[in-house]
Amino acid sequence: MPTLTSAPTTAPTCPLLVADTPRAWFAAHLVPFQAAHDDPAGVAGERRRIAVADLLADDARLLRAEHARLTADGTPPAAAAKWLAGWYAGGVAEVVGFTLAAGAAALLPETAALRFRLHPGGWPDRAEVGEDVAVAVPAGHPWAGRPDVRVVADEAALAALAVAALTAAVTPVVQACRTLAKVGLAALWAEVGDGFGLPVLHRPDLPVAADVVHRLQEAVRTPGRPWRKVPDLRVARVPDGWAYLGRKGGCCLAYQCPAGPEPDPALLDERTRAYLERFPAGAGPRYCSTCSLRDLAGCEERQVFWREQERAARGTPAG
């Protein structure tokens, strides 16, 4: 298994990814981070943006319609509700978590300013917190002293501020998702906590630093957080360098969906064939590679294999 020896570090208030101003940081780092969710095939069709008010209007008509579509396709109702909480509220949490992890800064989103970009298929493929979102940093951060940035005493205060703002901003969405199926608030908030605590997973081009893990692991455990379960995250030495490896605190219940037909090997790309040869689909429960129901070693083994293939496909050198 991957082991931790001596991982790269940065100073606690030194961002992993830098820029002169918050707006420059958003353009240089946050936008590309979010673009990683874009469909690589370039699916044609309108991508409209909706606000939380649009999502919840008319007794959450849009949210209910998407839930109905998912369940009609065979997704269990509770799983569909969790997916929607993860896509919308968890999407916002991922943006806040990434900025905290890589920018050592807290975004303080507000419900009214949130926008979700919808894929032509109907689901949100990007959460946007607004160009004028408030930003906070700890004392000693390069942005401290700017008139458009709030300064707090330390990283613990920064995390508390980020978690409080995130919770307030997405609570209406989480509450609405609870009305879609027999699913508890704890299960829904777990999707938000995982989005907040694991934004650096499956990002093979992101620099690796141990203090990023420390920052996220401390922040996701902030007193007063609405999620009970917390994800695992660590830095480990792997065959091609250093990597972020982790496991969710919750479960999206995707394994409960009906199994589809076995794929025709002739139609699979080389990477998918290699993955299925290493981890046969019928060899055990259909848990995700980050699922809390899978043992930690099994999660990490799958993530390392994926990372090796992804970096090889991109031609990324080991480091």
Side-chain angles (χ1 to χ4, degrees):
M1 286 306 300
T3 57
L4 178 64
T5 54
S6 180
T9 61
T10 64
T13 57
C14 180
L16 181 71
L17 303 176
V18 299
D20 290 339
T21 68
R23 300 305 176 265
W25 197 93
F26 298 161
H29 305 301
L30 185 56
V31 170
F33 171 80
Q34 292 183 295
H37 292 300
D38 291 350
D39 192 317
V43 173
E46 180 186 5
R47 279 174 165 77
R48 63 191 180 99
R49 285 170 170 77
I50 62 170
V52 174
D54 302 320
L55 184 67
L56 304 185
D58 193 18
D59 192 29
R61 179 178 57 84
L62 292 179
L63 200 61
R64 293 184 188 283
E66 184 62 10
H67 187 266
R69 185 190 67 80
L70 290 169
T71 55
D73 288 343
T75 306
K82 283 178 68 71
W83 294 4
L84 290 166
W87 294 345
Y88 286 100
V92 177
E94 187 179 54
V95 170
V96 176
F98 176 74
T99 304
L100 186 69
L107 297 183
L108 309 179
E110 296 183 356
T111 305
L114 297 179
R115 296 294 183 270
F116 301 99
R117 193 183 75 171
L118 299 185
H119 186 275
W123 61 86
D125 65 4
R126 188 171 298 189
E128 300 171 342
V129 296
E131 293 183 357
D132 296 325
V133 63
V135 178
V137 298
H141 190 283
W143 298 339
R146 290 185 54 86
D148 56 343
V149 173
R150 177 175 173 181
V151 179
V152 297
D154 52 32
E155 290 201 343
L158 189 74
L161 200 60
V163 169
L166 170 64
T167 301
V170 304
T171 287
V173 176
V174 175
Q175 292 283 5
C177 288
R178 190 186 188 188
T179 69
L180 301 175
K182 291 184 178 179
V183 59
L185 278 176
L188 297 174
W189 277 114
E191 297 301 307
V192 181
D194 286 332
F196 179 67
L198 297 175
V200 297
L201 285 190
H202 301 123
R203 305 282 176 168
D205 293 336
L206 186 67
V208 176
D211 57 290
V212 166
V213 171
H214 176 76
R215 185 179 300 135
L216 284 172
Q217 287 284 275
E218 291 294 313
V220 82
R221 289 168 170 78
T222 296
R225 65 189 184 274
W227 50 85
R228 298 175 186 172
K229 298 180 179 179
V230 296
D232 298 302
L233 180 67
R234 73 184 183 114
V235 166
R237 184 74 178 175
V238 296
D240 68 344
W242 292 95
Y244 298 108
L245 303 176
R247 179 177 59 176
K248 293 176 64 175
C251 172
C252 69
L253 305 180
Y255 74 94
Q256 295 182 358
C257 296
E262 288 294 323
D264 182 350
L267 301 179
L268 298 177
D269 60 64
E270 183 178 347
R271 294 167 63 193
T272 303
R273 281 198 300 271
Y275 189 90
L276 291 176
E277 287 173 4
R278 176 75 172 270
F279 307 107
R286 294 177 294 109
Y287 300 146
C288 302
S289 66
T290 56
C291 185
S292 61
L293 299 181
R294 190 182 294 283
D295 66 274
L296 184 58
C299 288
E300 293 189 344
E301 184 182 9
R302 285 162 174 79
Q303 291 164 39
V304 170
F305 186 81
W306 175 88
R307 171 190 164 87
E308 291 172 348
Q309 289 213 310
E310 183 72 9
R311 290 174 70 89
R314 296 186 183 190
T316 308

